[in-house]
């Protein structure tokens, strides 16, 4: 199912149109951002602006005013050409004027798939240090916790909170009111859900579903053809072009100096004492000695490898 509220198509006589995509994390937003980038460069039907703010979800009154001023100024600087603006943040009611009109779009995902994706992402890929680092926003005791362990060792609902690395999608539609704030507690109140529904019905022109991405893009183009004509990924070559441009390595390199039996296995570089084959007084103690990559974040395992190496050096 794709939620959409049909509205009139924009005409050349309209004021400056600013479409705000306050993207919900782990709902395919990186894919959608890349599609918008490609479309903007190809058609020049709109200017696509990306925010540099990755985790600034909550806005004070002053910050909301600054955001409005910044977007209006940007619209003026591009001669009121249509603008699509993306950023991860909870809904902000940006007031339209005679010069600028704000509309909102978003994309969601199967709730369970999104929860599992964000739970793992916050531990093994994302985080304040960038891709590939453990998230320092999580307590150290939670960084290597699996979802199965979280659910089976206490109240399962706690696994769906910011404390455990899962942000509520409700907040991205509920807004900046205190009862919408999932950084304090899980916004499961009727008031938060009611406000989110009200904002969707009043302000959002389109909310797509990741599992139906092609249909979502088709509908987005149908609703706003003067902006999103050509947004659909139609050919295998377009899909491969996106993959080539967007794919990157997010996993920890490991196993380049594999540990094992150096006498019987030509693929091993170090023995069980971490000594490098054929070189005296040299040991290796990092993820390169792993024979296979472990299934959890390697930080702790790597540290223990270093401590074990120190013990072996002391023992001679």
């Amino acid at each position: 199912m794709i939620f959409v509220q049909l509205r009139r198509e924009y005409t050349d006589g309209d004021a400056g149109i600013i479409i705000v995509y306050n993207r919900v994390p782990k709902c395919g937003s990186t894919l959608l951002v890349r599609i918008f980038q490609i479309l903007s460069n190809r058609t020049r039907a709109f200017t696509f602006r990306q925010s540099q703010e990755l985790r600034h979800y909550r806005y004070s009154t002053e910050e909301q005013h600054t955001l409005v001023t910044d977007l209006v100024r940007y619209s003026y600087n591009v001669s009121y050409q249509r603008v699509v603006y993306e950023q991860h943040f909870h809904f902000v009611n940006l007031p339209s004027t005679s010069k600028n009109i704000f509309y909102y779009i978003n994309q969601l995902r199967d709730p369970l798939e999104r929860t599992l994706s964000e739970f793992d992402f916050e531990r093994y890929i994302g985080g304040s240090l960038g891709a590939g680092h453990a998230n320092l926003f999580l307590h150290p005791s939670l960084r290597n916790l699996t979802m199965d362990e979280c659910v089976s060792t206490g109240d399962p609902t706690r696994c769906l909170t910011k404390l455990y690395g899962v942000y509520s999608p409700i907040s991205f539609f509920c807004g900046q009111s205190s009862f919408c704030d999932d950084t304090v507690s899980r916004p499961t109140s009727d008031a938060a859900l009611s406000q989110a529904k009200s904002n969707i019905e009043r302000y959002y022109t389109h909310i797509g579903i990741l599992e139906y991405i092609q249909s979502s893009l088709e509908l987005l183009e149908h609703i706003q053809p003067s902006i999103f004509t050509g947004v659909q990924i139609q050919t295998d070559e377009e899909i491969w072009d996106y993959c080539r441009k967007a794919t990157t390595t997010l996993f920890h390199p490991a196993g380049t100096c594999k540990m094992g039996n150096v006498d019987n296995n030509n693929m091993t570089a170090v023995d069980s004492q971490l000594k490098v084959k054929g070189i005296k007084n040299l040991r290796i103690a990092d993820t390169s000695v792993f024979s296979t990559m472990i299934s959890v974040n390697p930080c702790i395992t790597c540290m223990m490898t270093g401590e074990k190496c120190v013990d072996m050096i002391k023992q001679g």
Side-chain angles (χ1 to χ4, degrees):
M1 176 181 178
I2 301 171
F3 175 89
V4 60
Q5 182 171 344
L6 293 173
R7 298 185 180 181
R8 66 183 180 86
E9 165 60 5
Y10 315 128
T11 66
D12 292 337
D14 284 329
I17 301 298
I18 302 176
I19 297 179
V20 179
Y21 174 30
N22 65 313
R23 48 195 285 203
V24 179
K26 311 317 300 171
C27 290
S29 59
T30 299
L31 169 63
L32 204 54
V33 163
R34 184 57 186 154
I35 290 173
F36 288 160
Q37 287 175 326
I38 294 173
L39 185 65
S40 176
N41 293 333
R42 180 197 301 163
T43 67
R44 305 295 180 182
F46 64 93
T47 298
F48 183 60
R49 185 178 184 190
Q50 286 186 270
S51 171
Q52 301 303 311
E53 296 281 358
L54 297 179
R55 291 181 176 271
H56 191 179
Y57 297 165
R58 306 295 298 174
Y59 275 74
S60 66
T61 301
E62 181 179 353
E63 289 172 328
Q64 293 180 45
H65 176 73
T66 300
L67 177 62
V68 173
T69 302
D70 180 57
L71 289 176
V72 169
R73 183 183 297 114
Y74 183 83
S75 176
Y76 173 80
N77 290 338
V78 296
S79 301
Y80 296 108
Q81 183 186 19
R82 293 170 173 86
V83 175
V84 176
Y85 175 74
E86 70 81 22
Q87 182 184 336
H88 288 301
F89 67 97
H90 296 170
F91 173 79
V92 173
N93 184 8
L94 305 174
S96 297
T97 67
S98 60
K99 291 292 186 179
N100 292 100
I101 301 176
F102 291 95
Y103 294 90
Y104 298 80
I105 62 174
N106 220 312
Q107 181 165 273
L108 288 172
R109 181 182 186 180
D110 177 272
L112 178 59
E113 293 296 330
R114 179 190 172 274
T115 297
L116 294 174
S117 176
E118 187 164 35
F119 188 91
D120 289 339
F121 179 87
E122 291 295 324
R123 284 158 175 77
Y124 310 133
I125 298 177
S128 60
L129 294 179
H133 293 273
N135 191 343
L136 296 188
F137 288 105
L138 293 175
H139 189 276
S141 65
L142 301 178
R143 290 178 192 163
N144 289 317
L145 183 72
T146 67
M147 179 60 84
D148 288 342
E149 292 169 341
C150 185
V151 170
S152 63
T153 57
D155 179 10
T157 61
R158 78 190 198 284
C159 308
L160 307 179
T161 62
K162 176 182 174 293
L163 175 64
Y164 284 77
V166 178
Y167 294 84
S168 170
I170 295 176
S171 298
F172 287 83
F173 300 98
C174 181
Q176 301 293 326
S177 299
S178 58
F179 60 82
C180 302
D181 187 2
D182 70 341
T183 64
V184 177
S185 62
R186 204 158 46 96
T188 56
S189 68
D190 290 340
L193 183 59
S194 176
Q195 185 63 56
K197 289 180 177 179
S198 176
N199 289 337
I200 288 174
E201 293 172 353
R202 183 175 181 181
Y203 298 107
Y204 284 81
T205 63
H206 173 84
I207 296 178
I209 303 297
L210 177 60
E211 285 76 10
Y212 301 95
I213 182 65
Q214 188 66 17
S215 298
S216 294
L217 295 176
E218 184 178 339
L219 191 55
L220 183 61
E221 180 175 333
H222 174 75
I223 297 168
Q224 300 164 344
S226 67
I227 300 177
F228 294 115
T229 293
V231 73
Q232 301 177 60
I233 301 177
Q234 298 178 339
T235 67
D236 289 344
E237 181 54 35
E238 287 179 309
I239 294 174
W240 279 113
D241 179 63
Y242 166 76
C243 291
R244 285 191 292 268
K245 293 178 179 178
T247 302
T248 184
T249 300
L250 294 177
F251 297 102
H252 301 268
T256 54
C257 296
K258 181 179 177 181
M259 178 175 60
N261 190 327
V262 295
D263 297 323
N264 299 326
N265 190 339
N266 291 330
M267 297 301 293
T268 60
V270 300
D271 61 18
S272 60
Q273 300 295 307
L274 302 177
K275 296 179 180 179
V276 178
K277 179 169 58 177
I279 302 178
K280 294 182 178 181
N281 301 321
L282 179 62
R283 303 188 199 222
I284 296 177
D286 57 27
T287 56
S288 64
V289 305
F290 294 177
S291 56
T292 58
M293 189 56 189
I294 58 178
S295 59
V296 297
N297 191 287
C299 178
I300 299 298
T301 309
C302 189
M303 294 168 62
M304 293 302 296
T305 301
E307 292 187 11
K308 180 64 175 178
C309 183
V310 171
D311 290 340
M312 290 188 293
I313 292 174
K314 290 180 177 178
Q315 294 170 3

